[in-house]
Amino acid sequence: MSVDIREGSLEAPVRHAIEWKQADYYDQEDLSSELERVFDICHGCRRCVSLCNAFPTLFDLVDESDTLEVDGVDKEDYRKVVDHCYLCDLCYMTKCPYVPPHEWNVDFPHLMLRAKTVNFQQGKTKWRDRALTSTRTVGKLAGIPVVAQVVNAANKSRPLRKLLEKTAGIHADAPLPEFHSRSLRKRVKGRRAASLTAEAAGRTTGKVALFVTCYCDRNTPRVAEDLIAVFEYNGIPVTLADKEACCGMPKLELGDLEAVERAKNVNVPQLAALVEQGWDIVAPIPSCVLMFKQELPLMFPDDEDVGRVRQAFYDPFEYLSLRRREGKLNTDFKHSLGKVVYHAPCHQRVQNIGLKTRDILALVPDTKIDVVERCSGHDGTYAVKAECHAIAAKICRPVVNKVKQAEADHYVSDCPMAGAQIENGMGEGYPEVAESVFSLLRSAYGL
């Protein structure tokens, strides 16, 4: 079975459903054979060498082998390639000429996902990685009032960070998020929606349910608060689901697909019920949006509620752009933003919605937007791992260089984690990254 994840586009590739419920998905011999087949195709092409470290790792293994071909690479070394893939999807969506419906049927990210899943099933996943991807549990524990203060202080202590690197493999120089005891959900407890009358326009119902996300709930609640303020200023009522689990993206990248299903079983019924009541859905983190738009539908292609949620899920600036098309966007801006360097993160780019954030920010008078479409190398957990941090910083370096050269008034990313990664690479003497694109837009509105 296959699912077209970009309906309505004549140039869309077809992406096959993830057959993770089938026994042969976990067959090691079959997996090794498929890895060798796809690696051989990649070796002969090499168009994706500049995207991430998975491809240079593969090509180095081939070039250092006795045969100078994939058949000369020890299959035990395949995992070195797999470990450097963080499922950004850029190779599939922007580079590879052999994606389905091409007969070679190359889906590199989902093959890496399969390998990660088999590794996880075989117990080869590190405890550190299991902990780092348990975002809601970590956030809940670290968000306890006294604990939050201790954790935040420890994350800023150089000696403790060095100790953490030695004991847990979390790099001492990697930016770690702040934890808030007063989470977003606590800040808006009991909230149903603003006293606004929803006005449908085009595809939009004019009222949205906010999927808060683990990161915005415990680490950057201000991001979600700014989003709510911007939407309500545009006459869009905002509500929250009664209950929310992690979107599942961190566990997907780990290969723990059963954990993804458990999260889906919490989130989808809640969100589907809101869709039934006429609510559209947005989330402030691109990876979470992508999870509901693409990965869950590919994992559960026959789940009707997953399909309903997917149809109603929007990137926030995609939503505002749809409203603008119908003349429903408030353009009464009070303040210019000056020169803004805007970083478009991978998981937003692969949604194929265009640069909607740029388009909305560019409406602010006397504002100039420079766009950077390069990976920041963060990937949620990849950049904090001791063995990957230097590689992630190297991947981010072209982004950092462009930001420095721009000499802008603000620089910002749709992904706050990518923003932190860029800020970490900037060093001293540069303005801090804007907390979010929503904070910039809120400022432009004078809210």
Side-chain angles (χ1 to χ4, degrees):
M1 183 175 184
S2 60
V3 178
D4 185 345
I5 60 168
R6 290 158 60 190
E7 294 174 86
S9 173
L10 294 176
E11 60 183 21
V14 171
R15 205 153 201 187
H16 301 302
I18 301 169
E19 302 288 352
W20 70 285
K21 295 281 191 178
Q22 303 299 319
D24 58 2
Y25 187 84
Y26 302 89
D27 185 280
Q28 182 64 65
E29 185 176 344
D30 184 70
L31 171 61
S32 295
S33 177
E34 181 63 5
L35 286 168
E36 183 173 4
R37 183 187 77 86
V38 170
F39 285 173
D40 191 52
I41 294 170
C42 294
H43 158 54
C45 175
R46 302 202 175 199
R47 289 184 62 181
C48 296
V49 68
S50 63
L51 291 181
C52 69
N53 203 50
F55 294 100
T57 299
L58 169 61
F59 304 147
D60 285 348
L61 287 170
V62 172
D63 294 343
E64 292 166 6
S65 71
D66 293 335
T67 66
L68 299 180
E69 299 290 347
V70 173
D71 62 11
V73 176
D74 187 334
K75 287 181 171 54
E76 290 297 317
D77 285 336
Y78 286 0
R79 188 173 177 184
K80 295 178 181 178
V81 180
V82 174
D83 286 346
H84 283 295
C85 175
Y86 38 76
L87 306 182
C88 71
D89 257 13
L90 282 183
C91 60
Y92 185 92
M93 301 302 290
T94 69
K95 288 280 190 178
C96 182
Y98 306 120
V99 299
H102 191 281
E103 61 181 330
W104 287 356
N105 189 31
V106 173
D107 187 336
F108 190 90
H110 281 170
L111 178 58
M112 297 301 100
L113 172 62
R114 182 184 175 190
K116 291 173 185 286
T117 304
V118 171
N119 286 337
F120 184 86
Q121 289 290 320
Q122 294 176 351
K124 297 178 180 179
T125 305
K126 294 180 180 179
W127 172 88
R128 174 203 61 188
D129 299 340
R130 291 172 183 260
L132 285 173
T133 56
S134 299
T135 51
R136 189 153 294 271
T137 300
V138 171
K140 186 175 181 180
L141 292 174
I144 298 171
V146 176
V147 176
Q149 296 173 14
V150 173
V151 170
N152 291 335
N155 285 344
K156 296 175 182 178
S157 167
R158 187 66 180 173
L160 290 176
R161 286 298 303 274
K162 282 291 188 180
L163 179 62
L164 186 63
E165 180 174 334
K166 289 181 179 179
T167 58
I170 297 174
H171 201 283
D173 295 329
L176 296 181
E178 183 179 0
F179 289 92
H180 292 260
S181 57
R182 191 162 174 260
S183 67
L184 186 280
R185 283 190 164 270
K186 287 181 180 178
R187 298 181 190 204
V188 298
K189 187 175 182 180
R191 176 190 185 87
R192 281 296 175 269
S195 55
L196 301 169
T197 302
E199 186 176 355
R203 289 162 46 195
T204 68
T205 65
K207 58 180 186 176
V208 303
L210 176 65
F211 185 82
V212 177
T213 76
C214 307
Y215 201 80
C216 284
D217 190 36
R218 291 289 182 176
N219 302 117
T220 56
R222 177 64 186 275
V223 171
E225 288 181 311
D226 289 340
L227 183 155
I228 291 170
V230 166
F231 269 60
E232 291 183 347
Y233 190 67
N234 278 277
I236 303 169
V238 180
T239 192
L240 273 63
D242 291 331
K243 191 176 181 182
E244 183 179 303
C246 175
C247 71
M249 182 63 81
K251 292 300 184 184
L252 181 86
E253 294 173 350
L254 187 69
D256 185 0
L257 301 190
E258 291 181 358
V260 175
E261 183 172 34
R262 289 194 295 271
K264 184 269 294 186
N265 290 341
V266 173
N267 291 324
V268 168
Q270 295 277 330
L271 297 176
L274 286 165
V275 172
E276 189 67 23
Q277 296 165 24
W279 295 88
D280 295 323
I281 311 169
V282 300
I285 305 293
S287 297
C288 303
V289 177
L290 186 69
M291 193 68 193
F292 287 97
K293 276 188 172 186
Q294 173 177 288
E295 304 300 353
L296 288 179
L298 289 170
M299 285 182 66
F300 305 97
D302 299 320
D303 189 316
E304 293 182 358
D305 280 347
V306 169
R308 290 190 190 97
V309 170
R310 173 196 166 209
Q311 292 296 329
F313 222 110
Y314 297 90
D315 169 88
F317 282 88
E318 175 190 18
Y319 198 84
L320 293 176
S321 293
L322 290 170
R323 303 287 291 177
R324 178 198 174 203
R325 186 184 300 171
E326 304 298 328
K328 299 299 181 184
L329 181 72
N330 189 331
T331 56
D332 184 20
F333 298 107
K334 301 294 193 297
H335 305 291
S336 165
L337 297 175
K339 187 175 183 180
V340 179
V341 175
Y342 161 61
H343 169 254
C346 303
H347 277 177
Q348 186 180 63
R349 292 167 61 195
V350 299
Q351 291 177 39
N352 293 295
I353 58 175
L355 295 171
K356 302 305 182 188
T357 302
R358 176 204 61 185
D359 295 345
I360 296 297
L361 292 179
L363 296 174
V364 180
D366 300 317
T367 297
K368 182 179 184 298
I369 312 296
D370 285 352
V371 180
V372 179
E373 292 186 272
R374 290 287 299 253
C375 181
S376 74
H378 191 278
D379 170 56
T381 64
Y382 184 82
V384 307
K385 299 175 184 178
E387 68 272 23
C388 300
H389 177 73
I391 299 168
K394 182 179 179 180
I395 293 170
C396 190
R397 199 170 301 144
V399 180
V400 169
N401 290 340
K402 288 189 176 183
V403 174
K404 287 181 176 180
Q405 291 164 9
E407 298 182 344
D409 299 295
H410 308 280
Y411 66 97
V412 69
S413 175
D414 289 289
C415 175
M417 289 167 281
Q421 172 81 343
I422 297 167
E423 185 174 18
N424 193 52
M426 292 287 290
E428 302 291 335
Y430 294 91
E432 291 185 357
V433 64
E435 186 163 23
S436 76
V437 283
F438 309 111
S439 66
L440 281 183
L441 196 56
R442 185 175 187 175
S443 174
Y445 279 131
L447 300 179

